[in-house]
Amino acid sequence: NLLLYFGGFHDSAEKMTSVQWPTTFLIIAISVTCLVLSIRTKRANAAPDADWGYGSALGAGTLTGLFSALIGAVFTYAYFAFINPNMSEISFQAWQLQAEAGRATAAQISSMEPMMRKIYTPVVMAAFGACFGFFFSVLFSLIIAIFFRQKPGAVADAVPPALG
């Protein structure tokens, strides 16, 4: 967000929507990378005789996602309230552009305006960001934990030696 802000992409709704998809993919890539690094580090730091399985990997990813969501919520609130106080209006305008592109009528948009203005406030955006961030972290952790359910060397120890 700060890079987009300083790059001028949070100055208008048009600029913001132009980088929406690349930003989404970048956020997903960063989230998955951080979860992988966190789970891998937790697995490497586990005691050699400790049980490590899918649940341990999922727990590490979920806990990482929880802290990430909480820190993200604090940042989102600060960003909307102090760093870029015009962001609520720009987000609302971006929603309006998307609604118009989705063939919503002017009457439908105007009837939804009061509710949408309440949604694009710092507190609500921080809460939504925390909830969705945690949800997707758990979802990603469910998948990533599959690849970290065993300790390194556990597979090699279980494979019989080659004949030959």
Side-chain angles (χ1 to χ4, degrees):
N1 277 339
L2 289 177
L3 290 175
L4 293 171
Y5 174 70
F6 289 123
F9 290 103
H10 284 179
D11 292 344
S12 70
E14 294 82 12
K15 289 180 184 178
M16 191 171 94
T17 55
S18 72
V19 295
Q20 183 176 2
W21 285 109
T23 302
T24 301
F25 290 124
L26 182 62
I27 289 170
I28 290 171
I30 291 171
S31 298
V32 168
T33 301
C34 289
L35 286 169
V36 165
L37 293 173
S38 172
I39 294 170
R40 187 177 73 182
T41 301
K42 181 72 174 168
R43 181 180 69 175
N45 291 336
D49 58 340
D51 287 335
W52 182 269
Y54 181 81
S56 301
L58 178 61
T62 301
L63 195 57
T64 301
L66 176 64
F67 283 106
S68 173
L70 294 175
I71 291 168
V74 170
F75 174 78
T76 299
Y77 178 81
Y79 185 76
F80 271 76
F82 307 115
I83 298 170
N84 190 1
N86 198 33
M87 190 64 182
S88 294
E89 182 62 29
I90 293 169
S91 297
F92 173 76
Q93 290 171 1
W95 169 80
Q96 258 183 326
L97 288 174
Q98 290 177 343
E100 290 167 359
R103 308 282 189 243
T105 64
Q108 290 171 329
I109 293 173
S110 65
S111 70
M112 292 182 67
E113 182 175 346
M115 180 184 66
M116 296 308 290
R117 288 205 180 271
K118 289 178 184 174
I119 288 174
Y120 289 114
T121 61
V123 172
V124 176
M125 291 305 294
F128 278 168
C131 291
F132 284 110
F134 180 66
F135 172 77
F136 281 105
S137 291
V138 170
L139 184 67
F140 295 151
S141 294
L142 285 167
I143 297 166
I144 295 167
I146 293 169
F147 301 100
F148 289 93
R149 62 181 172 219
Q150 293 180 336
K151 288 190 170 199
V155 175
D157 294 339
V159 176
L163 298 174

